[in-house]
Amino acid sequence: MDMTLPVQTVRTTCPYCGVGCGVTATVRPGSIPIIAGDKQHSASQGRLCVKGAALGETLDLDGRLLYPTLRTDDGMRRASWDEALGRIAKGFADIIAAHGPDAVALYVSGQLLTEDYYVANKFMKGYVGSANIDTNSRLCMSSSVAGHKRAFGEDLVPGCYEDFELADLIVLVGSNTAWCHPTLFQRILRAKEARPSLRIVAIDPRRTATCELADIHLPIKPGTDVWLFNGLLSYLARQGTLDAAFVAAHTDGFEQALAAADVDCSDPAQVARTCRVDLGQLLAFYDAFAATSKVVTAYSQGVNQSSSGTDKVNAIINCHLATGRIGKPGMGPFSLTGQPNAMGGREVGGLANMLTAHMDLDNPVQRDAVKAFWNAPRIAAKPGLKAVDLFRAVEEGTVKAVWIIATNPLVSLPDADQVRRALDKCELVVVSDIVGATDTTVYADVLLPALGWGEKDGTVTNSERCISRQRAFLPAPGEARADWWALCEVARRMGFTGFDYEGAHEIFDEHAQLSGWRNGEGGAGLRVFDIAGMTGLGRQAYDALEPVQWPVPAGDHRGTRRLFADGRFAHASGRARFVATPPRLPVHAVDDDYPLSLNTGRLRDQWHTMTRTGKSPRLANHAPEPFIDLHPNDALLCGVREGELARVTSRWGAMVARVSHSGGIARGCVFVPIHWSGQTASDARVGAIVNPAVDPVSGEPEFKHTPVRVEPFVVEWQAFVLSRTALAVDRVANWTRVQGEGFVRYELGGRGPAHADWARDVLKVSGETDWIEYDDAGAGVYRAAHLVEGRLQACVFVARRGAALPPRQWLAGLFAQETLAPRDRATLLAGRAPQQGPDPGPTVCSCFGVGRNTICAAIRAQALTTTAQVTACLKAGGNCGSCVPEIGKLLVLMKSEETAGGR
Ligand code: SF4
């Protein structure tokens, strides 16, 4: 490495959630890039959450896929790019020739940059001639897309993040904003601190970290959101708080929507019973909404991931249209997107039922316009298969080749074992990824090495329509190449023209041109998505591009903060449409066999299937194991205990994880996080048990409700292993794995003997070695440690129950010692230092490594009452702020314990 190279700071964008925070990466030859928030980025103003702040810990090349590989009769072998691309091109061409264009498919991702997405879409819809390209964004926001199109005539988010600061009432529906969009939530909290009259209402079946800081929490029964918002519409009408002039001048369909709402939802008491919320709290929310003109209603996966997700979106939008609260500062419905570029994917038509540049597959004039612009030989004539249907078609054999890019459907799709069956049968499976071993890459016939964050170059669009540059600051490792490049190379080999791009800037330029192409002409209609003002940038101007919110029409335009300020919408009439939303329950009801409702979601410190965030030990400390969160009374009925293993079973599959009681789960509900895969746990892929019911309009799956039952997962012993090297632990009944600082941590559950022979076998230790152990067979306790030249190499602790195992914290710290101190060696098998203070507990503040027990002890000892006091005392919460809601929750908990104790 040339150490004389200058230090360089590159401005880029975080690759995780849809907030789209600006990041600076300072690259110094020979050291890890320093990651910080970009103060110049309008979305985040220099702030990053704990995931963004830990990006520097995820950049190593461990596990990276560095060159193409091909399946042969003898397994996978390394291949040249030319050979791999040739295999894909021939495979696709042969299948198309024999079975037609709909026999091939692409399944892509909201992790792709807009330029990759654009080329993938052009390849399939314009040249292959099929719309069989869908994306994992189908799983998180397609209901919002469909709801926007029905209401506004185009997939448009009306507002911007500043509206959260200007609002007097923020309603967060199905959104754990504190964990899933942390810097935006911090912005809300700062606004509330400055202006305490700002009220927050959280609507969520779970009492999440977000709800802790809300003024009102409505813990609605899963799937009843439409009743709640229909009830609100009906209430607003009866209270006379509608904006009749706005409704008359700018909308259609109000009477029908109100009539539909009135059928079941005109009586708040009945709504409260249906939604299972307190009537007083419900009316407090309705009154607050009625009395406040500056209202932002933000919603996320809790709304979208439902078999009535599109209706939920429209029920919310109906209330904003009825009150005219849209398009003005501090008000409007707001879809918070999950992924970094879910919006960019929508702009280029990355969903199977969209064309590109917000044009429609079922509009012949728009189809012709796109075909002419692309100079394409053909154009897809009908919508393609949506994600769940796509993999069904693969299993049925009608789709015979699938190219999966930047996503892991074997973990993330509902009924995920169906995806396994599908890929197992598929004639040609191509996977482009940055990671060599995922649950999905196992099924690849061709595996292509992609560029990761830090190596990629292009643009992303966040939840507020802000287009930002992701800039490369690291060289491409091995033979990894951009996804758009691989797609173009296959297209060329299939004889397609129009794929000769010199770089991402040329693709962006074409995308920008297409957005203005015949925009507003005759039957092609007027499209709000227009970034024609960004055409002709050239490489240099593209590299220097500052964040800008679309539309950016031709001319000297600086972007658009809010849409619909003039009351004009994108339907041909120029008017918005109310949508009648008769409420309906989830497709699959709970019953005697499956009496609990499973909800799935994200954790604060992890992202998707942990291929990147899983590399950071400090992120892992927040939740080192998969868990099943349920109410203690339900746990009692199911015969399971906190801290022990349990199996969750649905009609589609089963999984195993540890029982936990967060205190935020209502009776009858269960929550399981989405992050664990077959690479990090033996049986914790929650996708395998999620039902495949989908919304009939959007095709989005029902991740927030699956009927399940919970029962004990019986093991004879539990154990943990800390080891400097990765181990094969697959012969135990249950295992999970997480990265620690200098070691890998395994949590095991097993049956049969677990003593010296077993331990030596697991730790791969043989012959004479520095091996210390303690065995009390009568008590079921076994402990051993392996040292190499005085350095702790691995240790294993076994007990009959998980609660009898020592805390991992001190032992983990021993891996930092080059030679174990004699005192630590003597007490190693006790699992804790002789004079050790209390166990700090699970990490709450990842930035400063402060545990739950430490925070509780400080609150108790020093009578702390505010999060600011906790921060002043322990630093916790003083950096990124992601843990502030959890600290708030602990303050409330300690106060209620104190009150109970004082009675
Ligand atoms: Fe990344 Fe966190 Fe910002 Fe989301 S909130 S974009 S995960 S830094």
Side-chain angles (χ1 to χ4, degrees):
M1 175 152 307
D2 184 354
M3 304 301 280
T4 61
L5 286 171
V7 175
Q8 238 198 333
T9 295
V10 176
R11 291 174 63 209
T12 182
T13 314
C14 175
Y16 298 131
C17 84
V19 178
C21 297
V23 172
T24 60
T26 302
V27 186
R28 199 179 293 268
S31 47
I32 296 169
I34 297 165
I35 301 298
D38 179 1
K39 293 195 171 70
Q40 296 175 56
H41 199 294
S42 56
S44 49
Q45 299 149 351
R47 290 181 184 266
L48 295 178
C49 77
V50 64
K51 289 189 289 289
L55 273 164
E57 297 163 40
T58 67
L59 300 174
D60 66 67
L61 298 183
D62 280 356
R64 278 293 295 270
L65 182 61
L66 295 175
Y67 46 82
T69 56
L70 293 181
R71 184 172 302 284
T72 67
D73 291 343
D74 301 325
M76 298 300 279
R77 70 157 170 82
R78 184 172 175 171
S80 68
W81 266 103
D82 190 49
E83 191 183 2
L85 294 165
R87 165 92 72 101
I88 301 167
K90 181 169 182 341
F92 265 57
D94 288 351
I95 288 170
I96 292 166
H99 305 282
D102 289 333
V104 300
L106 255 56
Y107 184 62
V108 299
S109 164
Q111 308 291 305
L112 289 185
L113 303 185
T114 301
E115 291 74 4
D116 300 312
Y117 244 135
Y118 177 87
V119 172
N121 199 51
K122 179 178 175 180
F123 170 74
M124 276 305 291
K125 290 179 184 150
Y127 285 77
V128 169
S130 166
N132 277 352
I133 168 171
D134 212 39
T135 156
N136 65 7
S137 295
R138 175 75 59 198
L139 314 180
C140 66
M141 38 56 32
S142 54
S143 295
S144 282
V145 175
H148 289 159
K149 288 189 78 172
R150 292 202 304 191
F152 307 140
E154 201 174 318
D155 175 23
L156 303 167
V157 174
C160 59
Y161 294 155
E162 188 192 41
D163 290 329
F164 288 83
E165 292 162 333
L166 300 175
D168 293 318
L169 173 67
I170 297 174
V171 187
L172 300 169
V173 196
S175 169
N176 186 4
T177 324
W179 279 18
C180 300
H181 300 92
T183 58
L184 181 61
F185 191 68
Q186 292 304 314
R187 206 162 157 175
I188 294 171
L189 290 189
R190 285 196 300 282
K192 188 167 169 63
E193 232 169 74
R195 195 162 44 88
S197 61
L198 163 61
R199 275 175 297 172
I200 302 172
V201 176
I203 299 170
D204 197 311
R206 288 194 297 147
R207 189 165 182 85
T208 63
T210 304
C211 305
E212 293 302 331
L213 298 179
D215 298 284
I216 298 175
H217 170 214
L218 295 174
I220 59 167
K221 183 179 168 189
T224 59
D225 314 53
V226 174
W227 274 273
L228 191 115
F229 281 94
N230 278 359
L232 175 60
L233 183 66
S234 180
Y235 187 82
L236 295 169
R238 284 197 310 283
Q239 298 292 310
T241 48
L242 303 180
D243 186 338
F246 181 89
V247 170
H250 302 296
T251 70
D252 290 320
F254 171 70
E255 283 76 18
Q256 293 89 327
L258 181 61
D262 277 342
V263 171
D264 284 320
C265 308
S266 60
D267 175 11
Q270 180 59 37
V271 172
R273 277 195 295 279
T274 305
C275 298
R276 221 168 47 195
V277 296
D278 177 79
L279 175 60
Q281 293 284 85
L282 180 75
L283 288 172
F285 163 55
Y286 282 2
D287 284 335
F289 197 105
T292 314
S293 59
K294 287 189 173 178
V295 183
V296 170
T297 307
Y299 53 91
S300 195
Q301 267 57 317
V303 166
N304 293 325
Q305 292 180 328
S306 161
S307 57
S308 55
T310 309
D311 279 357
K312 289 182 183 181
V313 170
N314 285 112
I316 291 169
I317 294 173
N318 283 347
C319 295
H320 277 270
L321 290 175
T323 48
R325 293 172 189 161
I326 193 162
K328 301 177 203 113
M331 59 182 77
F334 203 114
S335 152
L336 291 171
T337 50
Q339 298 198 75
N341 199 27
M343 287 284 274
R346 288 143 73 165
E347 289 152 21
V348 302
L351 291 158
N353 52 322
M354 297 164 78
L355 192 42
T356 187
H358 283 203
M359 287 184 263
D360 284 322
L361 279 161
D362 51 14
N363 180 327
V365 180
Q366 292 186 340
R367 279 206 312 271
D368 284 349
V370 175
K371 183 170 180 278
F373 180 84
W374 280 341
N375 195 18
R378 53 190 76 83
I379 192 85
K382 61 179 194 310
L385 294 164
K386 298 178 180 127
V388 170
D389 292 337
L390 173 64
F391 284 94
R392 280 191 186 134
V394 173
E395 187 180 9
E396 285 158 9
T398 48
V399 169
K400 297 172 187 301
V402 61
W403 187 348
I404 298 165
I405 308 180
T407 184
N408 196 353
L410 223 89
V411 182
S412 52
L413 271 175
D415 191 13
D417 287 344
Q418 186 277 329
V419 180
R420 175 180 291 161
R421 294 195 300 275
L423 295 187
D424 208 20
K425 283 185 179 173
C426 191
E427 272 179 39
L428 176 61
V429 178
V430 182
V431 181
S432 298
D433 210 304
I434 63 167
V435 177
T438 73
D439 293 28
T440 300
T441 56
V442 171
Y443 290 88
D445 298 301
V446 185
L447 202 45
L448 300 178
L451 297 178
W453 181 77
E455 300 144 17
K456 292 194 204 192
D457 208 24
T459 55
V460 288
T461 307
N462 72 4
S463 297
E464 59 166 357
R465 292 174 281 104
C466 183
I467 298 172
S468 301
R469 286 281 279 112
Q470 253 190 33
R471 297 180 175 93
F473 57 88
L474 293 171
E479 295 179 12
R481 301 295 302 255
D483 292 313
W484 66 259
W485 178 87
L487 284 155
C488 288
E489 289 298 315
V490 168
R492 274 196 216 114
R493 282 165 175 77
M494 290 175 72
F496 301 151
T497 56
F499 292 88
D500 296 319
Y501 302 106
E502 286 286 308
H505 65 288
E506 288 193 356
I507 303 168
F508 184 83
D509 185 53
E510 188 177 306
H511 166 52
Q513 283 183 44
L514 178 51
S515 74
W517 173 251
R518 297 186 187 169
N519 195 346
E521 267 180 34
L526 185 70
R527 306 182 309 270
V528 176
F529 176 70
D530 183 351
I531 54 168
M534 298 168 82
T535 54
L537 289 182
R539 193 188 292 267
Q540 221 177 351
Y542 176 74
D543 281 347
L545 189 66
E546 288 294 322
V548 60
Q549 284 173 272
W550 63 258
V552 189
D556 184 21
H557 201 285
R558 300 289 163 88
T560 312
R561 286 193 136 178
R562 293 178 190 86
L563 302 173
F564 313 140
D566 57 359
R568 271 200 69 78
F569 294 85
H571 283 297
S573 62
R575 298 161 75 84
R577 284 188 197 148
F578 283 88
V579 178
T581 54
R584 59 182 191 277
L585 285 168
V587 171
H588 298 284
V590 295
D591 56 26
D592 289 348
D593 291 335
Y594 301 96
L596 301 168
S597 168
L598 169 74
N599 182 357
T600 67
R602 291 178 173 153
L603 298 180
R604 191 193 72 190
D605 290 4
Q606 294 298 347
W607 181 255
H608 283 192
T609 57
M610 297 200 286
T611 49
R612 289 174 289 171
T613 47
K615 289 185 164 200
S616 163
R618 72 175 158 132
L619 293 183
N621 276 338
H622 182 240
E625 279 187 89
F627 60 84
I628 303 158
D629 195 5
L630 77 170
H631 193 280
N633 292 0
D634 285 331
L636 210 61
L637 288 175
C638 298
V640 299
R641 268 204 300 205
E642 186 171 24
E644 298 296 312
L645 295 172
R647 176 189 276 119
V648 190
T649 307
S650 74
R651 288 197 167 81
W652 295 270
M655 62 164 289
V656 176
R658 206 170 291 284
V659 173
S660 119
H661 299 318
S662 69
I665 300 283
R667 291 290 311 271
C669 296
V670 177
F671 174 80
V672 175
I674 61 170
H675 306 292
W676 275 266
S677 69
Q679 312 304 308
T680 47
S682 52
D683 290 300
R685 267 183 325 132
V686 72
I689 65 172
V690 172
N691 77 93
V694 298
D695 179 276
V697 183
S698 69
E700 181 152 353
E702 187 139 65
F703 282 102
K704 299 297 186 188
H705 167 82
T706 299
V708 296
R709 67 168 176 266
V710 176
E711 55 210 346
F713 181 78
V714 180
V715 290
E716 291 168 8
W717 51 261
Q718 298 194 41
F720 69 84
V721 172
L722 308 181
S723 168
R724 285 194 192 274
T725 53
L727 302 168
V729 290
D730 47 0
R731 279 181 290 142
V732 296
N734 186 264
W735 62 267
T736 68
R737 175 175 70 84
V738 77
Q739 185 62 48
E741 198 75 57
F743 60 89
V744 187
R745 169 177 160 185
Y746 298 90
E747 297 288 333
L748 311 175
R751 303 176 189 117
H755 301 285
D757 290 349
W758 171 84
R760 279 174 170 263
D761 185 43
V762 168
L763 301 188
K764 294 274 170 287
V765 176
S766 57
E768 280 298 306
T769 185
D770 193 353
W771 176 263
I772 51 176
E773 65 183 350
Y774 168 81
D775 192 355
D776 181 349
V781 172
Y782 179 79
R783 297 171 175 188
H786 178 215
L787 291 94
V788 177
E789 294 174 358
R791 187 173 184 243
L792 181 59
Q793 182 65 20
C795 57
V796 54
F797 287 73
V798 184
R800 286 205 180 112
R801 291 194 49 224
L805 291 167
R808 286 57 164 167
Q809 190 89 5
W810 176 72
L811 287 161
L814 300 184
F815 282 81
Q817 296 185 20
E818 270 310 303
T819 306
L820 213 54
R823 198 186 64 156
D824 290 336
R825 183 185 169 107
T827 53
L828 174 58
L829 294 187
R832 62 170 67 227
Q835 282 94 38
Q836 186 178 316
D839 170 23
T843 302
V844 172
C845 174
S846 302
C847 296
F848 295 111
V850 187
R852 179 192 161 103
N853 297 352
T854 309
I855 295 171
C856 290
I859 293 171
R860 207 178 291 121
Q862 302 185 46
L864 307 178
T865 55
T866 66
T867 53
Q869 287 173 343
V870 174
T871 303
C873 180
L874 299 169
K875 286 183 153 180
N879 189 35
C880 75
S882 299
C883 63
V884 168
E886 276 174 277
I887 296 172
K889 192 172 174 178
L890 292 178
L891 283 162
V892 173
L893 190 78
M894 298 301 290
K895 180 141 185 69
S896 61
E897 276 179 12
E898 187 190 304
T899 311
R903 264 187 216 131

